[in-house]
Amino acid sequence: MEKTVKRIGVLTSGGDCPGMNAAVRAVVRTGIYCGIEVIGIRRGWNGLINGDVVRMDVDSVAHIINQGGTILYTARSDEFRTEAGQQKAAATCKLLGIEGIVAIGGDGTFRGCLALAKHGVSVVGIPGTIDNDIGCTHYSIGYDTAANTAVEAIDRLRDTMQSHERCSVVEVMGHRAGNLAQYVGIATGATAVLVPEVAWDFQRDVAERIRSARLSGRNHFMIIVAEGAFNDDEIMKYPGSANKIAEMIRDELGIEPRVTVLGHIQRGGSPTARDRVTATRMGYAAVEALVAGKTNRVICHQNGAITDMDMEEALQVPHYLSMHQEEVLQAMTGIVE
């Protein structure tokens, strides 16, 4: 790689996810390999506005590839959404001689990148979100770890549900995307799975499946619900999607479900091998893009290959739920006539 920049920054923004540290490590080590100084920007865009930075070297990223969360911390920044905040961030880059920024996060992080790029700073985004809902990439950092965390928790729940002959309603993350719920539902052999993207009917997709399972001799049932299975108006009536489904099951079937909301436990934990390797490959590619003089790029995982895409185009790519996985899920949970 031909060196065209002398100093770059790396930050994490938005919700944390397993694998962010592996990506930070890859950016730092690749930068050093290319003779580029890497500056760690703490607390996302807020840190860039306020100059909350630290020089990074090999020692500063030693033994972090296996750690969850982010050593650079993360925060959401209302100030950065303003023109004045963006000018402050650009001024920090100019003051410190930061020629390019690698930002790890989701769609909101990428929009922040575009705002900063208008002030003359080269930017590259790395997708990191457990929801795996960034349309331009087939895979985002953190998804595999979150799925495995949810599967392990649900397997443990199944043991006690089976022992007590109960129905369990489990809520997994996914306010606007059902990827995680769908994937976990297949992996755990759920009785029913409800996601935002697929129209569902309570009688057909929950009640009748529980009845069918009971008539077949089963006495415990696992219902998996994405947190965004109901729209915002409906969800206001209940604390969460899982609680609403549990009440509907109670009213319709006369059984007392147990609700488990996995919540932020899905974001934590040591990243899986897949997330570590993907994050490392993406971090390397991000530095490679900046060295090549590119800007406004998103690093993407497409059909097993790591590539990059124009950031504005990337943000226009819609997110789709896997219809093949949905067909598989319907076959696995459907009622056999």
Side-chain angles (χ1 to χ4, degrees):
M1 287 187 262
E2 181 184 352
K3 183 175 69 173
T4 57
V5 293
K6 296 179 180 179
R7 185 176 293 124
I8 63 174
V10 58
L11 62 83
T12 52
S13 176
D16 67 290
C17 65
M20 277 186 164
N21 281 329
V24 170
R25 174 183 179 273
V27 170
V28 172
R29 292 184 69 95
T30 304
I32 292 170
Y33 176 76
C34 296
I36 298 170
E37 185 178 9
V38 182
I39 305 298
I41 301 162
R42 293 178 290 208
R43 300 174 180 85
W45 299 119
N46 268 338
L48 190 57
I49 289 172
N50 299 315
D52 186 3
V53 301
V54 59
R55 279 194 176 99
M56 304 195 77
D57 56 22
V58 172
D59 289 339
S60 65
V61 293
H63 311 301
I64 69 168
I65 195 170
N66 61 316
Q67 294 179 18
T70 164
I71 64 166
L72 293 177
Y73 310 110
T74 182
R76 304 185 191 278
S77 176
D78 290 332
E79 185 177 5
F80 189 72
R81 293 188 178 95
T82 68
E83 178 64 24
Q86 294 159 18
Q87 288 178 357
K88 286 182 183 179
T92 299
C93 291
K94 185 176 182 179
L95 173 65
L96 300 178
I98 296 174
E99 301 165 79
I101 296 286
V102 177
I104 307 162
D107 287 350
T109 300
F110 301 158
R111 291 188 179 91
C113 285
L114 287 175
L116 187 63
K118 293 177 181 177
H119 295 277
V121 182
S122 296
V123 293
V124 176
I126 294 177
T129 167
I130 68 169
D131 291 338
N132 201 32
D133 61 348
I134 300 176
C136 65
T137 183
H138 296 163
Y139 187 82
S140 61
I141 297 168
Y143 178 62
D144 190 61
T145 306
N148 278 279
T149 298
V151 166
E152 182 180 359
I154 290 167
D155 285 347
R156 291 172 183 268
L157 278 171
R158 188 186 295 279
D159 291 343
T160 189
M161 290 299 106
Q162 184 172 0
S163 298
H164 293 275
E165 302 181 314
R166 286 176 175 162
C167 174
S168 183
V169 182
V170 180
E171 182 177 299
V172 301
M173 281 188 166
H175 183 63
R176 295 182 179 84
N179 303 66
L180 194 60
Q182 182 193 65
Y183 192 76
V184 168
I186 294 173
T188 58
T191 307
V193 179
L194 306 180
V195 298
E197 298 94 331
V198 179
W200 52 271
D201 175 80
F202 175 77
Q203 284 293 334
R204 180 193 67 211
D205 297 315
V206 180
E208 286 305 316
R209 290 182 183 182
I210 291 175
R211 289 191 180 104
S212 178
R214 185 66 186 89
L215 289 169
S216 298
R218 280 169 283 175
N219 51 24
H220 63 283
F221 319 101
M222 183 65 65
I223 314 300
I224 297 177
V225 186
E227 62 183 329
F230 292 92
N231 66 42
D232 291 338
D233 291 336
E234 291 171 320
I235 206 65
M236 288 299 292
K237 303 174 187 175
Y238 293 81
S241 290
N243 288 282
K244 182 166 185 176
I245 289 296
E247 180 143 336
M248 294 169 77
I249 291 172
R250 188 181 302 116
D251 292 344
E252 177 67 23
L253 300 174
I255 58 178
E256 189 66 32
R258 294 293 187 269
V259 174
T260 302
V261 179
L262 295 183
H264 286 80
I265 192 175
Q266 296 159 97
R267 282 189 179 174
S270 180
T272 61
R274 182 181 185 187
D275 276 328
R276 297 182 198 189
V277 172
T278 303
T280 300
R281 294 175 67 195
M282 286 184 167
Y284 173 86
V287 177
E288 188 178 42
L290 288 175
V291 168
K294 295 182 180 180
T295 186
N296 293 0
R297 309 299 292 182
V298 174
I299 304 303
C300 303
H301 185 285
Q302 295 179 344
N303 299 317
I306 301 296
T307 183
D308 61 84
M309 178 184 293
D310 177 80
M311 194 171 286
E312 292 190 13
E313 292 181 10
L315 284 169
Q316 298 303 314
V317 178
H319 155 69
Y320 293 106
L321 194 70
S322 169
M323 285 301 103
H324 174 69
Q325 286 190 174
E326 185 61 26
E327 290 172 4
V328 171
L329 181 62
Q330 291 302 320
M332 297 300 104
T333 62
I335 298 171
V336 179
E337 300 294 341

